[in-house]
Short mmCIF file of all heavy atoms in Angstrom, two decimals:
data_model
loop_
_atom_site.label_atom_id
_atom_site.label_comp_id
_atom_site.label_asym_id
_atom_site.label_seq_id
_atom_site.Cartn_x
_atom_site.Cartn_y
_atom_site.Cartn_z
N VAL A 57 105.69 83.74 85.05
CA VAL A 57 106.33 84.18 86.29
C VAL A 57 106.53 82.95 87.18
O VAL A 57 105.69 82.06 87.22
CB VAL A 57 105.50 85.27 87.02
CG1 VAL A 57 104.16 84.77 87.46
CG2 VAL A 57 106.27 85.85 88.19
N PHE A 68 103.83 80.06 86.63
CA PHE A 68 102.49 80.57 86.36
C PHE A 68 102.52 81.33 85.05
O PHE A 68 103.55 81.91 84.68
CB PHE A 68 102.04 81.52 87.47
CG PHE A 68 102.02 80.89 88.82
CD1 PHE A 68 103.09 81.04 89.69
CD2 PHE A 68 100.92 80.15 89.24
CE1 PHE A 68 103.07 80.45 90.94
CE2 PHE A 68 100.90 79.56 90.49
CZ PHE A 68 101.98 79.71 91.34
N VAL A 76 94.81 82.59 85.17
CA VAL A 76 96.16 82.28 85.65
C VAL A 76 96.29 80.75 85.73
O VAL A 76 95.48 80.09 86.39
CB VAL A 76 96.44 82.94 87.01
CG1 VAL A 76 97.79 82.50 87.55
CG2 VAL A 76 96.38 84.45 86.88
N LEU A 95 94.32 78.22 88.09
CA LEU A 95 94.18 78.68 89.47
C LEU A 95 92.90 79.48 89.64
O LEU A 95 92.13 79.27 90.55
CB LEU A 95 95.36 79.56 89.87
CG LEU A 95 96.62 78.87 90.30
CD1 LEU A 95 97.66 79.89 90.71
CD2 LEU A 95 96.36 77.92 91.44
N PHE A 96 92.70 80.45 88.75
CA PHE A 96 91.49 81.25 88.80
C PHE A 96 91.35 82.01 87.49
O PHE A 96 92.33 82.29 86.82
CB PHE A 96 91.49 82.22 89.99
CG PHE A 96 92.68 83.13 90.06
CD1 PHE A 96 92.68 84.37 89.44
CD2 PHE A 96 93.81 82.76 90.77
CE1 PHE A 96 93.77 85.21 89.52
CE2 PHE A 96 94.91 83.58 90.86
CZ PHE A 96 94.89 84.81 90.23
N TYR A 113 101.07 91.38 86.05
CA TYR A 113 100.73 90.84 87.37
C TYR A 113 102.02 90.31 87.99
O TYR A 113 103.04 90.17 87.32
CB TYR A 113 99.69 89.74 87.27
CG TYR A 113 100.22 88.46 86.65
CD1 TYR A 113 100.51 87.36 87.44
CD2 TYR A 113 100.45 88.36 85.29
CE1 TYR A 113 101.01 86.20 86.89
CE2 TYR A 113 100.94 87.20 84.73
CZ TYR A 113 101.22 86.13 85.53
OH TYR A 113 101.73 84.98 84.98
N ASP A 114 101.96 90.01 89.28
CA ASP A 114 103.10 89.40 89.95
C ASP A 114 102.59 88.54 91.09
O ASP A 114 101.44 88.66 91.50
CB ASP A 114 104.07 90.46 90.47
CG ASP A 114 105.50 89.94 90.59
OD1 ASP A 114 105.74 88.72 90.38
OD2 ASP A 114 106.39 90.74 90.90
N ILE A 115 103.47 87.70 91.61
CA ILE A 115 103.13 86.84 92.74
C ILE A 115 103.90 87.35 93.96
O ILE A 115 105.05 87.77 93.84
CB ILE A 115 103.43 85.36 92.43
CG1 ILE A 115 102.95 84.46 93.57
CG2 ILE A 115 104.89 85.15 92.12
CD1 ILE A 115 102.96 82.99 93.23
N ALA A 116 103.25 87.32 95.10
CA ALA A 116 103.89 87.77 96.34
C ALA A 116 105.04 86.83 96.71
O ALA A 116 105.06 85.66 96.31
CB ALA A 116 102.87 87.82 97.48
N GLY A 119 104.29 83.39 97.89
CA GLY A 119 103.74 82.45 96.92
C GLY A 119 102.26 82.18 97.07
O GLY A 119 101.72 81.30 96.42
N ARG A 120 101.57 82.95 97.91
CA ARG A 120 100.16 82.67 98.18
C ARG A 120 99.21 83.72 97.63
O ARG A 120 98.00 83.50 97.63
CB ARG A 120 99.96 82.56 99.69
CG ARG A 120 100.74 81.39 100.27
CD ARG A 120 100.71 81.32 101.75
NE ARG A 120 99.35 81.42 102.25
CZ ARG A 120 99.04 81.59 103.51
NH1 ARG A 120 99.98 81.69 104.41
NH2 ARG A 120 97.79 81.67 103.89
N ARG A 121 99.72 84.85 97.20
CA ARG A 121 98.86 85.93 96.71
C ARG A 121 99.41 86.49 95.40
O ARG A 121 100.61 86.42 95.16
CB ARG A 121 98.79 87.06 97.74
CG ARG A 121 98.12 86.63 99.03
CD ARG A 121 98.33 87.65 100.11
NE ARG A 121 99.75 87.59 100.47
CZ ARG A 121 100.43 88.60 100.96
NH1 ARG A 121 99.87 89.76 101.17
NH2 ARG A 121 101.71 88.47 101.26
N PHE A 122 98.51 87.03 94.60
CA PHE A 122 98.90 87.66 93.35
C PHE A 122 98.56 89.14 93.41
O PHE A 122 97.56 89.53 94.02
CB PHE A 122 98.14 87.03 92.17
CG PHE A 122 98.64 85.67 91.82
CD1 PHE A 122 98.18 84.56 92.48
CD2 PHE A 122 99.58 85.51 90.82
CE1 PHE A 122 98.63 83.30 92.18
CE2 PHE A 122 100.05 84.24 90.51
CZ PHE A 122 99.58 83.14 91.18
N LEU A 123 99.37 89.95 92.77
CA LEU A 123 99.09 91.36 92.61
C LEU A 123 98.70 91.57 91.16
O LEU A 123 99.46 91.21 90.25
CB LEU A 123 100.33 92.20 92.94
CG LEU A 123 100.20 93.70 92.68
CD1 LEU A 123 99.18 94.31 93.62
CD2 LEU A 123 101.54 94.37 92.83
N MET A 124 97.49 92.09 90.95
CA MET A 124 96.98 92.27 89.60
C MET A 124 96.31 93.64 89.49
O MET A 124 95.84 94.19 90.49
CB MET A 124 95.98 91.17 89.25
CG MET A 124 96.56 89.79 89.43
SD MET A 124 95.41 88.49 89.02
CE MET A 124 95.87 88.24 87.33
#
Side-chain angles (χ1 to χ4, degrees):
V57 64
F68 301 96
V76 175
L95 278 182
F96 55 90
Y113 70 104
D114 206 354
I115 186 168
R120 297 174 50 191
R121 295 168 290 153
F122 286 85
L123 174 66
M124 304 181 93

